[in-house]
mmCIF file of all heavy atoms in Angstrom:
data_model
loop_
_atom_site.group_PDB
_atom_site.id
_atom_site.type_symbol
_atom_site.label_atom_id
_atom_site.label_comp_id
_atom_site.label_asym_id
_atom_site.label_seq_id
_atom_site.Cartn_x
_atom_site.Cartn_y
_atom_site.Cartn_z
ATOM 1 N N ASN A 88 3.933 15.279 -11.936
ATOM 2 C CA ASN A 88 3.382 14.481 -10.827
ATOM 3 C C ASN A 88 2.003 14.942 -10.344
ATOM 4 O O ASN A 88 1.418 14.320 -9.464
ATOM 5 C CB ASN A 88 4.344 14.490 -9.623
ATOM 6 C CG ASN A 88 5.573 13.638 -9.888
ATOM 7 O OD1 ASN A 88 5.635 12.928 -10.892
ATOM 8 N ND2 ASN A 88 6.556 13.723 -9.017
ATOM 9 N N ILE A 89 1.509 16.031 -10.927
ATOM 10 C CA ILE A 89 0.177 16.506 -10.507
ATOM 11 C C ILE A 89 -0.905 15.543 -11.001
ATOM 12 O O ILE A 89 -0.917 15.114 -12.158
ATOM 13 C CB ILE A 89 -0.108 17.928 -11.058
ATOM 14 C CG1 ILE A 89 0.738 18.969 -10.320
ATOM 15 C CG2 ILE A 89 -1.605 18.260 -10.957
ATOM 16 C CD1 ILE A 89 0.268 19.358 -8.930
ATOM 17 N N VAL A 90 -1.820 15.216 -10.074
ATOM 18 C CA VAL A 90 -3.009 14.425 -10.391
ATOM 19 C C VAL A 90 -4.199 15.354 -10.130
ATOM 20 O O VAL A 90 -4.287 15.943 -9.046
ATOM 21 C CB VAL A 90 -3.093 13.179 -9.475
ATOM 22 C CG1 VAL A 90 -4.389 12.420 -9.722
ATOM 23 C CG2 VAL A 90 -1.881 12.275 -9.685
ATOM 24 N N VAL A 91 -5.072 15.518 -11.121
ATOM 25 C CA VAL A 91 -6.184 16.467 -10.980
ATOM 26 C C VAL A 91 -7.310 15.811 -10.178
ATOM 27 O O VAL A 91 -7.821 14.745 -10.547
ATOM 28 C CB VAL A 91 -6.699 16.922 -12.368
ATOM 29 C CG1 VAL A 91 -7.858 17.892 -12.203
ATOM 30 C CG2 VAL A 91 -5.569 17.552 -13.179
ATOM 31 N N LYS A 92 -7.668 16.479 -9.078
ATOM 32 C CA LYS A 92 -8.689 15.925 -8.183
ATOM 33 C C LYS A 92 -10.044 16.510 -8.566
ATOM 34 O O LYS A 92 -10.223 17.739 -8.585
ATOM 35 C CB LYS A 92 -8.320 16.291 -6.747
ATOM 36 C CG LYS A 92 -8.852 15.358 -5.707
ATOM 37 C CD LYS A 92 -8.208 15.694 -4.379
ATOM 38 C CE LYS A 92 -8.820 14.906 -3.255
ATOM 39 N NZ LYS A 92 -8.411 15.459 -1.954
ATOM 40 N N VAL A 93 -10.979 15.621 -8.868
ATOM 41 C CA VAL A 93 -12.266 16.023 -9.436
ATOM 42 C C VAL A 93 -13.403 15.463 -8.570
ATOM 43 O O VAL A 93 -13.384 14.279 -8.232
ATOM 44 C CB VAL A 93 -12.397 15.460 -10.884
ATOM 45 C CG1 VAL A 93 -13.708 15.874 -11.519
ATOM 46 C CG2 VAL A 93 -11.219 15.897 -11.749
ATOM 47 N N PRO A 94 -14.406 16.291 -8.225
ATOM 48 C CA PRO A 94 -15.489 15.771 -7.387
ATOM 49 C C PRO A 94 -16.400 14.790 -8.114
ATOM 50 O O PRO A 94 -16.570 14.879 -9.339
ATOM 51 C CB PRO A 94 -16.277 17.032 -6.985
ATOM 52 C CG PRO A 94 -15.971 18.044 -8.021
ATOM 53 C CD PRO A 94 -14.583 17.734 -8.537
ATOM 54 N N MET A 95 -16.977 13.863 -7.353
ATOM 55 C CA MET A 95 -17.887 12.853 -7.899
ATOM 56 C C MET A 95 -19.271 13.473 -8.120
ATOM 57 O O MET A 95 -20.188 13.337 -7.297
ATOM 58 C CB MET A 95 -17.944 11.663 -6.922
ATOM 59 C CG MET A 95 -18.997 10.601 -7.179
ATOM 60 S SD MET A 95 -19.357 10.216 -8.873
ATOM 61 C CE MET A 95 -18.030 9.144 -9.329
ATOM 62 N N ILE A 96 -19.352 14.222 -9.218
ATOM 63 C CA ILE A 96 -20.635 14.797 -9.658
ATOM 64 C C ILE A 96 -20.740 14.482 -11.149
ATOM 65 O O ILE A 96 -19.769 13.993 -11.749
ATOM 66 C CB ILE A 96 -20.704 16.327 -9.423
ATOM 67 C CG1 ILE A 96 -19.483 17.033 -10.072
ATOM 68 C CG2 ILE A 96 -20.800 16.649 -7.936
ATOM 69 C CD1 ILE A 96 -19.532 18.556 -9.984
ATOM 70 N N LYS A 97 -21.912 14.753 -11.738
ATOM 71 C CA LYS A 97 -22.131 14.410 -13.155
ATOM 72 C C LYS A 97 -21.064 15.050 -14.057
ATOM 73 O O LYS A 97 -20.421 14.364 -14.873
ATOM 74 C CB LYS A 97 -23.520 14.895 -13.552
ATOM 75 C CG LYS A 97 -24.122 14.191 -14.726
ATOM 76 C CD LYS A 97 -25.585 14.613 -14.810
ATOM 77 C CE LYS A 97 -26.205 14.236 -16.125
ATOM 78 N NZ LYS A 97 -27.565 14.802 -16.250
ATOM 79 N N ALA A 98 -20.830 16.361 -13.869
ATOM 80 C CA ALA A 98 -19.825 17.046 -14.692
ATOM 81 C C ALA A 98 -18.426 16.506 -14.396
ATOM 82 O O ALA A 98 -17.561 16.480 -15.277
ATOM 83 C CB ALA A 98 -19.869 18.551 -14.428
ATOM 84 N N GLY A 99 -18.231 16.040 -13.163
ATOM 85 C CA GLY A 99 -16.932 15.490 -12.770
ATOM 86 C C GLY A 99 -16.640 14.183 -13.488
ATOM 87 O O GLY A 99 -15.518 13.959 -13.971
ATOM 88 N N VAL A 100 -17.627 13.318 -13.586
ATOM 89 C CA VAL A 100 -17.446 12.026 -14.280
ATOM 90 C C VAL A 100 -17.115 12.275 -15.754
ATOM 91 O O VAL A 100 -16.175 11.689 -16.309
ATOM 92 C CB VAL A 100 -18.724 11.148 -14.152
ATOM 93 C CG1 VAL A 100 -18.616 9.903 -15.019
ATOM 94 C CG2 VAL A 100 -18.960 10.772 -12.687
#
Side-chain angles (χ1 to χ4, degrees):
N88 287 352
I89 288 283
V90 175
V91 179
K92 206 170 173 193
V93 181
M95 170 36 80
I96 54 175
K97 203 170 166 187
V100 172

